[in-house]
Amino acid sequence: MTWLGMGLLLGHVGVQAADAPPSAARKTTAPVAATAKAVKYTSVEGITEYRLSNGLRVLLAPDASKPTTTVNVTYLVGSRHENYGETGMAHLLEHLVFKGTPKLPGKTIVQEFARRGMRMNGSTFYDRTNYFETFAASDDNLDWALKMEADRMVNSFVAKSDLDTEMTVVRNEMESGENNPLMVLWQTMTATAYQWHNYGKSTIGARSDVENVKIENLQAFYRKYYQPDNAVLIVTGQFNEAATLARVERYFGVIPKPMRVLPNDYTRDPVQDGARQVTVSRVGDAHMVATLYHTAPGAHADAVNVELLAFILADTPTGRLHKALVDSKKAASITAMPFNLKDPGYVFFAVNLNKTQSRDEVAKVLIDEVEQLASKPITAEELARAKTSLLNEFEKGLSDPVNFGVSLSESIATGDWRLHFLRRDLIEKATLADVQKTAQNYLVASNRTLGHFVPTEAPVRASIPPAPDLNQLLTGYKGKEAMAQGEAFDPSPANINQRTTRTALPNGMKLALLPKTNRGQTVNGQIVLRMGSASSLAGKTELASAVAQMLMRGTEGMSRQQIADKLESLQSKLSVSTGNGNAVVVDFESRRDKVGELMALIRSVLRQPAFPQAELETLRTEWLTAVDEERRQPQALAQKQLRRALSKYPKGDVRYVPTFDETVQAVQALKLEDLRQFHAQFYGAQFGQVAVIGDFDAAQMQKSLSEVLGSWNSPAAYERVASEYQDVAGTQLTLETPDKANAVYLAGLSFPVKDDHPDAQALILANRVLGGGGLKNRLVDRLRQAEGISYGAGSFLQLNSWDAQSSFGLFAIFAPQNLGKLRTGVSEELAKWVAQGVSEQELAEAKSGILQSRKISRSEDAALAGGWVDLMSHGRDMVHVQTQEDKLKAVTREQVQQAIARHLSPARLVQVYAGDFAKAAKP
């Protein structure tokens, strides 16, 4: 089952010069005599809420175990609050508050984000808008973030000039969503299910509203809702609580309390009185059937019961729908999305199938399985499994202060942050009778909306309860004991090197262990198995991938479901994938008291796979369905064309890029005996590496790994598959993708450089300035900020650590009618980059952003484990990392410009454009 969050995430946001700010005309606030002081309101499980006299609520959740801090501001305004003709306004405003204030004019905000290496985002959904930034913990970074958020709360430029540019960016984002069958069907079905409430309208809004909204309306919306009494400030991670509270008082406390009174929303849909159905027909190969059912407000206990029902019905591989549809080969996959919202929400079930499978049959099975729970009641085993999974996810969330702080936004939007913990309590208390009653009330025919994405006689009405009284619900609520804190870990290369023990298992497999005290006692690790050679693996690319994908689908003693249940009981995660060339990557996450049992499970998964025939057929169906869906998607087509253009290996070579048809033929030809023979011939551990980071006993871990991997050897010889430099001439390729509103641009070239080349660090900085800085780079400045033709654009650089064969490329999404503007913009920016190089300011900001971002990555255990595996495979350690960073710090402007000239000629780019250009060219 796939669990999706459907908020509109703002991945790239920029700032431009703006007109006079609406803040100059603010007259809805009362003056204050002095800075507002924070008063403690309540405390639950390590989180303390303070309140300022101007209405601002402040949540502080200190955690010194990671050297990062996250600042999050949640405003209680979303698409639910928009009026007729103003849909999409909350989302538009989310974009515009990155455009500066009188104290932070122009591009100051995004430049500071880049310079400080901050990871930031903003998102808008039905009931809320939130902004957050995660950064390396320091008083300076925290001070700037709090000051900036307080400033843009009431002083943002919301200007006509910025709206004109950003409107087209949002329109491009809208077009991108229109390429996604699931998004299109979901939006259409909610519009059918809700007659009056704004939950029936997409957060991104109607195209006509976005294109015609008046700046005066947007300014009034901003002044009305972006106020301290409509906001919650959350600070999580490493910080001094008293000093932070003082900063909050200093920056936010001077904002006056507004005199306006926010309206009380009262629009509610009547109880649905009959089944509804809608069909969406568009060009493409994706087939989908979905159902939607209205449910209780998110604060109601029934909302938690619906989450449990969604798991019981749609989990992979244990869910009833998965067994009835996927295991029976009637469909490819199941998706479930329970929406717990401020007002009555809904639960959404979607089934993905290929063109050979029957939509009518799938619709019948889907409806029967969901709506016949009265005659087929849930079992105690099903409920226990669902509760275990949801509670495990809750605990894992508490272990990550970054995601935890941001996730509180959803509970705040529902009514109160303490609902986050109350939800856990309700999951624990849920009984079979409670959940069964919930199913029989909501999952009925009269409450259903059925949707088809294409190439009830006796109505039983649901009873939707009102939202409960939160004061009564939460009075005296204390929650449980706060999770134990981890150590304050220094992520410097020197400390990591000193703290890590590097050795080898009995068979020669290289090992790195870094034990440390973690919040939640978490453990992360990575195992890489290296096998075969270019000659012995010839013609076996899809076979190798299939073997890796089948490992988690059954062992000699456990079924796929039993493996999934075991991982849930161990509160652990395990994944297996194929790496570049001839490698298999195993990533795992666990806890100190569970990791020993997880090691035993990993042994079974890797060394004793059962390769069930039924699971191979399920994998084959999923694989072929995915290929069919990619055939008409602009991004997939462009990626395939670019990879084939840059790779000239012969068919059968492990480095060969197959066509869609060739992949289909290879997948259809997979045989069980071939999978078993491949595993027996190639799998073993003696040529690989393993790294474990986190809360564990080093001696016990080494012993466990020796038992799991230390005597397991591959019969086949290993020889790394080399990457040979191929000189490919530049060219332009255009691909037509009919009926696709969004187009894709991809470009790339190869050049003979390794990651230890004298120009390597200069090339990294050059790429960062051109298009690798996320929020602040030249391509975004031109294509998004200045011209408003692309929601996302940038460049990428992949330096090969083994062979002199690296790659550089560009990407952008855009409307097909803007093809000419895109070509001109990219060409001119590349020419300027090659001719002039980078400025001193750009160079300094690129260095700062890269170094701080790497520091954050080293504080993430999973990323650090992967980093150690890579270093060990090259015979390197963290001294190499420090050396490379020292070299990066020393790079000059002249070195950057010389490196660009030597290696990255735009004339050598293979450029691919995929979109509905024929339709755009029509008058």
Side-chain angles (χ1 to χ4, degrees):
M1 173 180 62
T2 303
W3 295 83
L4 299 181
M6 302 301 290
L8 292 167
L9 296 182
L10 181 57
H12 303 281
V13 189
V15 179
Q16 277 190 295
D19 304 330
S23 56
R26 283 183 181 270
K27 295 181 180 179
T28 60
T29 57
V32 292
T35 299
K37 295 297 182 182
V39 177
K40 183 176 180 180
Y41 180 75
T42 189
S43 183
V44 172
E45 298 190 18
I47 304 175
T48 303
E49 177 181 346
Y50 299 88
R51 296 191 175 185
L52 303 185
S53 59
N54 58 12
L56 181 71
R57 283 164 282 177
V58 182
L59 305 182
L60 300 184
D63 177 15
S65 64
K66 293 186 182 296
T68 59
T69 308
T70 297
V71 171
N72 178 93
V73 180
T74 298
Y75 294 93
L76 297 177
V77 59
S79 57
R80 175 169 63 88
H81 302 86
E82 295 162 347
N83 294 319
Y84 185 80
E86 297 178 346
T87 61
M89 183 175 287
H91 179 237
L92 263 176
L93 187 57
E94 175 208 333
H95 282 238
L96 293 184
V97 298
F98 288 87
K99 297 293 186 179
T101 72
K103 292 182 179 179
L104 298 169
K107 300 178 181 179
T108 304
I109 292 177
V110 293
Q111 286 174 338
E112 281 297 307
F113 281 141
R115 185 180 72 82
R116 295 170 183 272
M118 290 184 171
R119 297 180 181 177
M120 58 71 59
N121 216 328
S123 68
T124 307
F125 204 35
Y126 292 129
D127 301 309
R128 56 88 185 140
T129 305
N130 83 308
Y131 307 87
F132 70 90
E133 44 274 344
T134 296
F135 44 85
S138 74
D139 288 343
D140 180 61
N141 280 341
L142 179 57
D143 189 85
W144 182 86
L146 291 173
K147 187 186 300 182
M148 179 273 296
E149 292 291 2
D151 190 20
R152 70 175 176 177
M153 176 180 283
V154 291
N155 296 317
S156 288
F157 289 128
V158 180
K160 183 66 167 63
S161 58
D162 291 327
L163 174 62
D164 291 343
T165 299
E166 206 64 19
M167 179 273 293
T168 56
V169 171
V170 171
R171 187 172 61 191
N172 184 230
E173 181 182 0
M174 183 185 302
E175 292 157 349
S176 176
E178 289 175 0
N179 281 5
N180 187 321
L182 178 62
M183 288 288 290
V184 172
L185 184 60
W186 168 63
Q187 292 174 7
T188 305
M189 288 178 65
T190 54
T192 303
Y194 286 92
Q195 295 176 308
W196 308 108
H197 198 284
N198 270 0
Y199 287 169
K201 297 179 176 63
S202 168
T203 302
I204 204 167
R207 188 185 187 101
S208 58
D209 289 359
V210 172
E211 291 177 343
N212 295 287
V213 63
K214 295 181 179 179
I215 189 62
E216 295 81 8
N217 294 34
L218 199 57
Q219 291 171 345
F221 193 86
Y222 170 67
R223 290 192 293 265
K224 181 177 183 179
Y225 291 107
Y226 278 55
Q227 294 281 0
D229 65 342
N230 197 46
V232 181
L233 169 67
I234 310 168
V235 184
T236 62
Q238 188 179 111
F239 61 91
N240 180 283
E241 187 167 0
T244 300
L245 195 60
R247 287 189 172 98
V248 171
E249 292 171 341
R250 184 186 318 145
Y251 299 134
F252 290 87
V254 297
I255 301 174
K257 183 176 183 178
M259 294 185 292
R260 62 91 183 93
V261 178
L262 289 171
N264 181 27
D265 297 331
Y266 47 80
T267 301
R268 299 289 183 274
D269 261 47
V271 174
Q272 188 169 318
D273 56 3
R276 300 170 187 171
Q277 183 169 338
V278 63
T279 299
V280 178
S281 298
R282 293 195 179 189
V283 172
D285 293 301
H287 292 251
M288 287 187 178
V289 178
T291 54
L292 181 155
Y293 301 86
H294 295 279
T295 58
H300 196 280
D302 281 359
V304 167
N305 294 338
V306 169
E307 284 191 73
L308 292 165
L309 285 166
F311 184 95
I312 290 167
L313 287 165
D315 177 55
T316 299
T318 66
R320 293 188 178 189
L321 289 171
H322 182 88
K323 293 176 180 177
L325 290 170
V326 179
D327 286 351
S328 65
K329 308 302 181 290
K330 292 181 174 66
S333 62
I334 305 293
T335 296
M337 295 182 283
F339 287 80
N340 294 342
L341 306 170
K342 179 70 164 61
D343 294 336
Y346 57 94
V347 62
F348 182 79
F349 300 96
V351 184
N352 193 27
L353 53 156
N354 63 37
K355 56 190 175 184
T356 68
Q357 295 166 328
S358 170
R359 285 185 294 103
D360 291 338
E361 183 181 15
V362 166
K364 183 180 186 306
V365 175
L366 172 61
I367 290 170
D368 287 347
E369 288 294 330
V370 173
E371 296 179 10
Q372 290 184 6
L373 287 173
S375 58
K376 300 177 182 178
I378 62 174
T379 66
E381 181 183 6
E382 287 176 318
L383 180 58
R385 183 182 297 122
K387 292 170 73 170
T388 297
S389 181
L390 267 61
L391 290 171
N392 282 347
E393 287 301 316
F394 179 88
E395 285 204 17
K396 290 170 186 173
L398 292 182
S399 302
D400 186 342
V402 176
N403 291 331
F404 173 61
V406 177
S407 68
L408 284 177
S409 290
E410 303 306 326
S411 296
I412 291 167
T414 305
D416 191 291
W417 63 274
R418 290 168 291 177
L419 293 173
H420 184 77
F421 297 95
L422 185 64
R423 170 180 171 271
R424 175 208 55 209
D425 298 353
L426 291 172
I427 293 171
E428 291 176 339
K429 296 175 182 176
T431 66
L432 275 174
D434 293 334
V435 180
Q436 188 67 36
K437 180 180 178 182
T438 298
Q440 292 172 207
N441 181 49
Y442 298 99
L443 304 182
V444 294
S446 65
N447 194 35
R448 178 212 319 140
T449 297
L450 174 67
H452 286 262
F453 189 95
V454 180
T456 286
E457 300 177 4
V460 179
R461 294 183 173 88
S463 175
I464 307 296
D469 183 334
L470 295 179
N471 288 330
Q472 181 179 354
L473 188 67
L474 297 169
T475 297
Y477 182 74
K478 299 298 182 183
K480 297 186 176 181
E481 184 179 350
M483 183 175 286
Q485 302 294 307
E487 67 174 277
F489 182 71
D490 171 16
S492 66
N495 183 61
I496 293 173
N497 222 41
Q498 189 272 329
R499 291 278 300 268
T500 303
T501 299
R502 297 181 296 284
T503 183
L505 299 181
N507 60 355
M509 187 181 205
K510 294 179 181 178
L511 170 65
L513 300 177
L514 198 170
K516 62 190 183 75
T517 305
N518 275 353
R519 178 182 173 87
Q521 297 185 319
T522 56
V523 182
N524 281 268
Q526 184 178 93
I527 301 167
V528 173
L529 308 178
R530 305 189 188 275
M531 59 191 68
S533 63
S535 59
S536 64
L537 294 173
K540 296 182 173 68
T541 300
E542 286 78 13
L543 177 61
S545 179
V547 172
Q549 294 182 71
M550 286 289 291
L551 295 181
M552 292 286 290
R553 294 174 180 246
T555 70
E556 292 178 1
M558 302 177 73
S559 67
R560 183 181 182 183
Q561 177 174 324
Q562 289 172 327
I563 293 173
D565 288 346
K566 184 65 173 178
L567 286 171
E568 291 291 0
S569 70
L570 296 178
Q571 299 174 295
S572 302
K573 291 183 178 180
L574 177 64
S575 66
V576 183
S577 60
T578 51
N580 292 332
N582 44 346
V584 171
V585 180
V586 181
D587 291 296
F588 61 88
E589 177 186 341
S590 190
R591 296 165 56 122
R592 183 182 183 94
D593 59 341
K594 307 290 186 181
V595 71
E597 290 184 72
L598 178 63
M599 288 296 108
L601 178 61
I602 290 175
R603 187 185 194 282
S604 297
V605 167
L606 293 181
R607 301 178 63 171
Q608 299 172 330
F611 296 115
Q613 182 69 52
E615 288 294 343
L616 176 59
E617 296 309 317
T618 297
L619 172 62
R620 197 191 316 270
T621 299
E622 293 171 351
W623 201 334
L624 295 176
T625 300
V627 173
D628 281 345
E629 291 175 357
E630 290 179 337
R631 289 179 185 271
R632 298 193 186 186
Q633 291 297 330
Q635 183 169 340
L637 285 166
Q639 287 175 340
K640 178 73 72 175
Q641 192 68 37
L642 180 60
R643 291 183 63 211
R644 285 179 59 81
L646 293 175
S647 177
K648 301 299 183 181
Y649 294 103
K651 184 176 180 180
D653 192 288
V654 292
R655 295 157 293 190
Y656 173 73
V657 180
T659 65
F660 290 122
D661 287 341
E662 288 169 342
T663 298
V664 167
Q665 292 169 5
V667 173
Q668 289 174 335
L670 291 172
K671 297 179 181 179
L672 204 60
E673 186 55 36
D674 293 338
L675 270 68
R676 291 183 173 130
Q677 289 179 0
F678 186 98
H679 183 270
Q681 179 182 358
F682 291 106
Y683 271 63
Q686 75 267 40
F687 306 117
Q689 299 81 33
V690 55
V692 185
I693 315 294
D695 213 322
F696 61 89
D697 179 86
Q700 183 59 48
M701 178 60 68
Q702 184 163 349
K703 179 182 177 183
S704 295
L705 290 170
S706 294
E707 295 171 351
V708 174
L709 303 167
S711 61
W712 185 35
N713 295 326
S714 168
Y718 166 70
E719 181 181 351
R720 183 181 59 83
V721 176
S723 298
E724 301 169 0
Y725 171 67
Q726 298 175 331
D727 190 5
V728 178
T731 187
Q732 292 194 17
L733 305 170
T734 301
L735 308 175
E736 284 290 339
T737 58
D739 203 35
K740 297 299 181 183
N742 194 60
V744 172
Y745 166 69
L746 289 176
L749 61 82
S750 299
F751 58 101
V753 163
K754 280 180 61 180
D755 69 346
D756 57 1
H757 189 279
D759 289 339
Q761 301 306 313
L763 289 169
I764 291 171
L765 291 163
N767 175 70
R768 175 85 176 196
V769 172
L770 177 66
L775 289 171
K776 181 66 180 71
N777 61 65
R778 291 189 181 179
L779 290 175
V780 167
D781 283 350
R782 173 68 178 267
L783 301 179
R784 176 171 179 153
Q785 317 292 18
E787 298 184 358
I789 62 172
S790 179
Y791 175 67
S795 63
F796 60 88
L797 179 73
Q798 296 174 331
L799 292 176
N800 195 312
S801 58
W802 289 105
D803 305 305
Q805 158 65 359
S806 294
S807 60
F808 165 76
L810 311 168
F811 64 90
I813 62 172
F814 61 101
Q817 60 267 29
N818 289 326
L819 176 59
K821 291 182 179 179
L822 178 101
R823 279 178 164 157
T824 299
V826 170
S827 177
E828 290 179 355
E829 291 304 318
L830 280 172
K832 188 188 307 179
W833 182 62
V834 171
Q836 301 175 8
V838 303
S839 70
E840 288 290 356
Q841 180 179 346
E842 287 175 322
L843 182 62
E845 290 176 351
K847 290 179 180 180
S848 173
I850 289 171
L851 292 172
Q852 293 206 51
S853 180
R854 289 178 179 177
K855 181 178 179 181
I856 292 175
S857 293
R858 290 195 298 269
S859 72
E860 297 168 347
D861 290 356
L864 184 55
W868 262 122
V869 164
D870 183 66
L871 288 170
M872 287 189 293
S873 70
H874 293 80
R876 297 169 174 174
D877 60 15
M878 282 289 165
V879 173
H880 170 79
V881 173
Q882 186 62 62
T883 300
Q884 297 303 96
E885 292 193 351
D886 291 342
K887 290 180 180 179
L888 184 138
K889 294 175 185 177
V891 171
T892 65
R893 280 187 62 210
E894 292 72 23
Q895 289 172 325
V896 171
Q897 187 166 7
Q898 291 167 6
I900 295 172
R902 273 194 287 265
H903 307 291
L904 305 179
S905 169
R908 296 185 54 246
L909 284 169
V910 175
Q911 303 186 75
V912 183
Y913 306 87
D916 193 352
F917 304 117
K919 180 179 179 180
K922 294 179 180 179

